[in-house]
Amino acid sequence: MTITFTNIYKENILDGLKKIISTEFNKMPIYNDVPFINRGGSMFLNIIISDDNEEESFTQGKLRKIDVNIRLYMALNGLQEHNKNKSILNRYAERIRSLIEQNSNYTSSDTKRWINGSVSSIEYDPDVETTEESYLVCDLLCEFMTFQTFIVEE
């Protein structure tokens, strides 16, 4: 008897977030880099998992709460003082929050991917690494509930 592995984070959370966000912002690159990699570009996202907690266990699976950090980067090009105006960053962050809240219960391919998706907070002045200092950075801290089904093959 074997249990089939499924990458719950990638299939249920990351792929859905990429689809929702890229539908709205089709030219904005979305990465999944740990640690940060400076890929250039004027604006891009980096989505990383920050926590994964088992909320409840069942015979056929587990209910998991997955916390995700969506980090929005905007390059400080040209007149840096002008670009430090965070209104552009705020507009993108609020739109991403709205997209997640509109899709708080997300289904794709007739499969429920997550429930109760939300942005719990937005931080406009997060700590940054030295490699991130050429960007304005904004963190969206998100929570998603997802169900991991055990597929047992005999």
Side-chain angles (χ1 to χ4, degrees):
M1 178 171 40
T2 61
I3 297 177
T4 303
F5 169 78
T6 303
N7 187 338
I8 297 299
Y9 168 64
K10 181 184 180 317
E11 290 184 18
N12 285 10
I13 308 298
L14 183 62
D15 290 349
L17 279 172
K18 283 183 173 182
K19 184 175 181 181
I20 290 167
I21 294 169
S22 64
T23 299
E24 181 77 13
F25 304 113
N26 57 6
K27 296 196 187 297
M28 183 182 298
I30 301 173
Y31 304 110
N32 189 33
D33 296 331
V34 178
F36 172 77
I37 298 172
N38 189 343
R39 297 174 181 265
S42 61
M43 189 171 263
F44 60 92
L45 294 172
N46 195 31
I47 302 174
I48 57 173
I49 186 171
S50 56
D51 209 2
D52 183 347
N53 294 303
E54 181 181 316
E55 294 291 307
E56 205 165 336
S57 190
F58 305 96
T59 307
Q60 297 296 316
K62 295 180 180 186
L63 182 63
R64 294 165 51 181
K65 181 175 86 105
I66 296 180
D67 296 333
V68 173
N69 182 4
I70 301 175
R71 189 161 259 211
L72 175 61
Y73 293 90
M74 187 174 86
L76 287 171
N77 295 329
L79 301 172
Q80 289 195 7
E81 289 305 313
H82 173 73
N83 286 340
K84 286 185 180 177
N85 178 345
K86 296 186 179 178
S87 65
I88 296 169
L89 217 54
N90 174 264
R91 193 170 7 147
Y92 278 89
E94 287 299 327
R95 184 61 189 139
I96 292 169
R97 177 197 298 258
S98 177
L99 290 169
I100 291 171
E101 289 176 357
Q102 288 170 7
N103 292 281
S104 63
N105 297 315
Y106 181 70
T107 301
S108 74
S109 303
D110 295 324
T111 302
K112 182 67 75 179
R113 298 298 179 181
W114 71 64
I115 59 172
N116 300 335
S118 67
V119 176
S120 57
S121 68
I122 299 176
E123 189 174 346
Y124 289 101
D125 196 20
D127 294 335
V128 294
E129 301 292 325
T130 305
T131 55
E132 299 171 301
E133 289 178 352
S134 59
Y135 294 93
L136 275 178
V137 180
C138 170
D139 278 344
L140 290 88
L141 304 174
C142 310
E143 298 177 351
F144 303 91
M145 299 295 287
T146 190
F147 192 75
Q148 176 184 10
T149 304
F150 299 137
I151 301 171
V152 179
E153 298 173 0
E154 298 194 30

